[in-house]
Amino acid sequence: MTSRLGDDAATATSTLETMWLIRRFEEAVDDLFARGLMHGTMHLSIGQEASATGTCFALRDDDAITSTHRGHGHCIAKGADLERMMAELLAKETGYCRGRGGSMHIADVATGNLGANGIVAGGIPIAAGAALGYRMQGLDRVVVSFFGDGAANEGAFHEAVNLAAIWKLPVVFLCENNKYGMSFSTEKSFAIENISERALGYGIPGVTVDGNDVEVVHATVSEAVDRARSGGGPTLVEAVTYRWKGHSKSDKNLYRTKEEIAQWRERDPILRFEAVVLERGVLDQAAVEEIRARATADIRTAVRAANAAPTPAPTTFSKPSSRPPERQP
Amino acid sequence: MTTTYPSPDLTGTAPTATTDRVITYAEAVREALAEAMAADDRVFMLGEDIGVYGGAFGVTGDLYHRFGAERVRDTPISELGIVGAAVGAALAGMRPVVEIQFSDFTCQAMDQIVNQAAKIHFMLGGAAEVPMVLRAPLGSGTGAAAQHSQSLEAWFAHVPGLKVVMPATAEDAKGLLLSAIDDPNPVIVLEHKLLYRTSGPVPEGAGRIPLGKTAVRRRGRDVTIVATGVMVSRSLEAAEQLAADGIDVSVIDPRTLSPLDDAPILEDISRTGRALLVQEAPGHVGFMAEVASRVVESSAVYRLLAPVRRLSGLDIPIPYAPQLESAAVPQVDAIIDAARSLVKDS
């Protein structure tokens, strides 16, 4: 049995800190967009911090993830550098993709983030392939593929889950069911109650959990990761959660009610975890306040540093097609 | 059907023949795969029926028995999943070689080819590479009709981040594939299914042929034919017959469509003053349209004695009836007629 994230002060602190960093990062992004200081588009995961954090905290540093267009949380929880992330969103040369990728394409292979993805379900087969690659090299790494409810209706999901199932690949398929594929609700886009039921068709375990409870997500994913690492094959985990903000900046929220959003805000995964650790006496109010303040300060620092960074010059285009082969066996 | 084609002119780019060994194009592909897998544990294959079955066109043959089921990996029929798995394995440090049974089926895998594999290196600012190869047979002539006979090379060549190779000889089939496997980023290798059973000289120990190097197959005085895939051998055959009529033809094979080494093409056209561009694919927005553009954008345009002429497949899906199928794409006679009229009209 895995110990709970809120059982000791050190783990509780880093869990809470990670969730606050995700929240503050995205609030800063939201603000920068609103003030016209950031271009492009954005997809915020505010309200979903527990599924990213609980999942990534079940992984070793050398385990890997693939992520989605709503991937800031996954990226931060897997250990990405905040300044380089912010620099990428601000289209700077110091960003993770040197200004070529933006929010939807951040990868950090060094921390095991094999990439966010602008294509719904695009990262799912890649996760299966990475798991195959690690296993063929004799590495006992596990890959978690994050995707949303919308992706579970794409062919890529079905092909990848089947491949991983027949080859017993060390993958955890982590579906963040935030209730809407853009504006289309899961009630309308699925004829099944739980997306995890799809696991049955592939002969793998499937489980649906409260995605706003970071400890439950962590415990469930830990079990799935153990199974994957020990050769038991993939698991489909459905974390039921909710995005408070719109799909992207153009979203007028015509497809859902203010009441519905308010109801889910009541179930804020961060405040909920704070209440748990306070109640258990693992952290006191002062410690919690300090974590919040530190996250706010860290994000401010990241924004300031990223703003000061140089923008990429069009003369520095990376040209992969003209790059000579690096290896002559 | 066994035809022998002349060895390409590889001035300064490839080993010269030391033996007269002649093998089939399919054997040459298999030899490249075997050598690459033997030399590097990271190289492995993924595809439908490539294991015990030996590949739908017999290309993988006995590789399954030599390298095992892990490295010659049979997959379910799921092209998108296969290519995606290759992208992931490449990111994880492997060197996957995917076989798509018919190049038409790449349509099922386009997201992973176009949006993932092709873009990752650039999109991540150079932070990651995707060293994968996708092999797929293209072309008509087998009576397999519209969904198994297409030539989609222009689609791939249009996507930045993909290298596209179309080997026309056995030696190129081996040498270009070895270079493709070495390449740190995705390479699409389009093999012509009519060429698999043709033979050509592949010297013992023949090695890599660099990507992005055009081959001059035949040097002539009067007309430059630029051709790809199976059109290379048809053009060479046409050239032989034209020579009997006193028309001396160059045949140039770009081999790599992207990136395109256009200098030898433009040089030869400047010399002959006449360009006949031959492709099996439909002409509209095809690869030879790019070649034609490069001619008119270069100083070769001032040397032209006649307008650039394209001879392409018709702008129709490939039909089933043999008479219709062969009439839908350039045959030797059509190449002869086009070259002759190009000379006569100028």
Side-chain angles (χ1 to χ4, degrees):
Chain A
M1 182 67 200
T2 328
S3 61
R4 293 179 300 181
L5 291 175
D7 279 348
D8 68 273
T11 314
T13 300
S14 62
T15 304
L16 192 54
E17 189 161 76
T18 300
M19 290 200 286
W20 273 120
L21 283 173
I22 298 170
R23 176 74 54 91
R24 295 291 183 241
F25 182 93
E26 295 204 304
E27 285 170 349
V29 169
D30 202 17
D31 177 60
L32 287 163
F33 265 96
R35 291 194 287 142
L37 300 174
M38 195 177 266
H39 87 150
T41 187
M42 56 155 179
H43 305 85
L44 301 178
S45 66
I46 292 176
Q48 305 182 188
E49 295 86 354
S51 56
T53 306
T55 299
C56 289
F57 274 49
L59 295 175
R60 290 194 323 220
D61 285 351
D62 64 343
D63 288 333
I65 62 165
T66 63
S67 175
T68 70
H69 61 285
R70 203 176 303 287
H72 303 149
H74 314 142
C75 202
I76 292 170
K78 194 66 180 74
D81 179 76
L82 298 166
E83 188 186 317
R84 290 193 66 193
M85 278 181 71
M86 194 57 84
E88 187 57 35
L89 270 68
L90 286 165
K92 301 293 187 152
E93 179 67 29
T94 55
Y96 268 110
C97 312
R98 300 171 57 219
R100 275 86 171 152
S103 155
M104 283 194 283
H105 305 300
I106 289 176
D108 181 20
V109 180
T111 58
N113 182 351
L114 300 179
N117 212 303
I119 304 293
V120 170
I124 311 179
I126 296 176
L132 173 65
Y134 292 137
R135 196 177 66 186
M136 288 183 79
Q137 292 168 82
L139 303 167
D140 69 340
R141 295 181 185 172
V142 172
V143 185
V144 167
S145 182
F146 285 102
F147 56 94
D149 45 276
N153 284 331
E154 287 276 7
F157 163 82
H158 297 277
E159 296 195 19
V161 174
N162 188 52
L163 283 180
I166 60 169
W167 292 338
K168 284 201 177 303
L169 296 178
V171 191
V172 178
F173 295 103
L174 200 291
C175 179
E176 289 178 305
N177 176 358
N178 67 11
K179 299 292 189 183
Y180 293 92
M182 200 155 163
S183 69
F184 205 51
S185 72
T186 49
E187 280 73 27
K188 291 174 184 163
S189 56
F190 290 86
I192 51 175
E193 197 178 333
N194 295 312
I195 293 172
S196 64
E197 293 167 36
R198 294 259 162 100
L200 186 66
Y202 299 99
I204 64 169
V207 56
T208 297
V209 296
D210 181 347
N212 279 14
D213 184 334
V214 71
E215 291 188 306
V216 164
V217 172
H218 178 256
T220 309
V221 175
S222 295
E223 202 179 310
V225 166
D226 287 348
R227 182 182 302 116
R229 207 184 307 281
S230 60
T235 305
L236 173 59
V237 178
E238 176 189 14
V240 179
T241 181
Y242 196 80
R243 68 167 149 76
W244 295 3
K245 297 282 181 170
H247 164 72
S248 66
K249 66 176 176 176
S250 64
D251 192 338
K252 294 182 185 69
N253 267 324
L254 301 173
Y255 52 89
R256 55 184 186 175
T257 61
K258 284 194 178 68
E259 291 71 30
E260 182 184 297
I261 299 170
Q263 231 170 46
W264 277 92
R265 289 179 77 117
E266 296 283 302
R267 301 174 57 188
D268 184 331
I270 308 183
L271 299 183
R272 194 162 149 189
F273 184 65
E274 280 184 357
V276 167
V277 292
L278 287 170
E279 192 190 301
R280 285 187 202 147
V282 174
L283 298 177
D284 59 20
Q285 191 61 41
V288 166
E289 298 291 344
E290 197 196 317
I291 291 166
R292 290 184 187 185
R294 202 161 53 227
T296 306
D298 285 355
I299 297 302
R300 275 199 191 126
T301 306
V303 173
R304 206 171 301 128
N307 263 324
T311 53
T315 50
T316 63
F317 280 135
S318 161
K319 285 184 180 165
S321 61
S322 62
R323 206 172 161 288
E326 60 173 15
R327 188 184 64 93
Q328 291 292 332
Chain B
M1 179 181 63
T2 301
T3 333
T4 307
Y5 304 120
S7 192
D9 173 354
L10 298 164
T11 321
T13 63
T16 46
T18 53
T19 66
D20 295 332
R21 190 175 68 127
V22 168
I23 61 174
T24 68
Y25 184 97
E27 284 164 350
V29 173
R30 190 182 316 141
E31 196 169 276
L33 293 166
E35 283 181 21
M37 283 198 284
D40 186 344
D41 287 345
R42 298 174 302 172
V43 178
F44 76 107
M45 299 179 60
L46 285 157
E48 294 158 10
D49 312 298
I50 62 172
V52 176
Y53 194 97
F57 288 90
V59 172
T60 50
D62 62 347
L63 292 177
Y64 172 84
H65 298 289
R66 292 167 65 187
F67 294 97
E70 274 279 300
R71 296 182 71 195
V72 182
R73 184 173 284 269
D74 267 328
T75 63
I77 300 166
S78 48
E79 287 78 11
L80 187 155
I82 297 165
V83 179
V87 174
L91 284 171
M94 299 295 283
R95 300 245 162 188
V97 180
V98 168
E99 176 174 304
I100 297 293
Q101 205 158 70
F102 284 80
S103 63
D104 313 70
F105 308 162
T106 57
C107 299
Q108 299 270 34
M110 273 303 181
D111 172 57
Q112 289 295 327
I113 299 170
V114 174
N115 289 322
Q116 314 296 338
K119 296 193 172 28
I120 287 173
H121 181 59
F122 183 91
M123 199 166 72
L124 303 188
E129 291 175 336
V130 186
M132 62 169 284
V133 174
L134 186 154
R135 297 178 35 244
L138 89 170
S140 65
T142 65
Q147 294 170 341
H148 289 70
S149 303
Q150 292 165 91
S151 297
L152 301 175
E153 67 273 13
W155 290 17
F156 300 113
H158 189 68
V159 177
L162 294 179
K163 297 188 188 74
V164 182
V165 168
M166 271 177 80
T169 69
E171 187 169 10
D172 278 9
K174 179 180 179 188
L176 292 170
L177 179 53
L178 284 171
S179 292
I181 293 170
D182 277 352
D183 198 275
N185 274 298
V187 182
I188 311 291
V189 181
L190 298 168
E191 299 159 1
H192 201 290
K193 49 181 88 86
L194 289 186
L195 294 177
Y196 280 136
R197 287 157 67 190
T198 65
S199 303
V202 182
E204 220 50 83
R208 289 162 178 74
I209 292 171
L211 306 181
K213 291 278 179 201
T214 288
V216 179
R217 303 284 178 193
R218 189 184 201 283
R219 204 56 102 169
R221 189 182 57 240
D222 302 318
V223 186
T224 302
I225 296 182
V226 184
T228 51
V230 79
M231 292 302 150
V232 175
S233 49
R234 285 187 193 161
S235 298
L236 287 168
E237 211 176 313
E240 289 299 314
Q241 296 191 39
L242 286 160
D245 292 354
I247 297 174
D248 193 13
V249 175
S250 283
V251 177
I252 299 192
D253 172 9
R255 300 193 286 194
T256 306
L257 278 54
S258 189
L260 176 61
D261 169 26
D262 57 12
I265 299 171
L266 301 174
E267 270 166 37
D268 202 75
I269 292 171
S270 299
R271 209 169 43 74
T272 63
R274 297 180 186 95
L276 173 60
L277 314 179
V278 186
Q279 68 179 20
E280 179 170 345
H284 188 62
V285 203
F287 171 72
M288 288 303 171
E290 173 66 26
V291 176
S293 292
R294 296 209 188 188
V295 174
V296 301
E297 284 173 347
S298 76
S299 60
V301 73
Y302 301 117
R303 315 295 292 273
L304 290 178
L305 303 170
V308 173
R309 173 106 188 244
R310 275 186 296 160
L311 186 62
S312 312
L314 303 180
D315 291 320
I316 57 166
I318 297 293
Y320 169 64
Q323 301 81 353
L324 299 180
E325 184 184 28
S326 60
V329 304
Q331 304 296 328
V332 175
D333 286 349
I335 299 172
I336 292 171
D337 289 349
R340 197 178 275 139
S341 73
L342 196 52
V343 174
K344 221 183 280 170
D345 296 348
S346 57

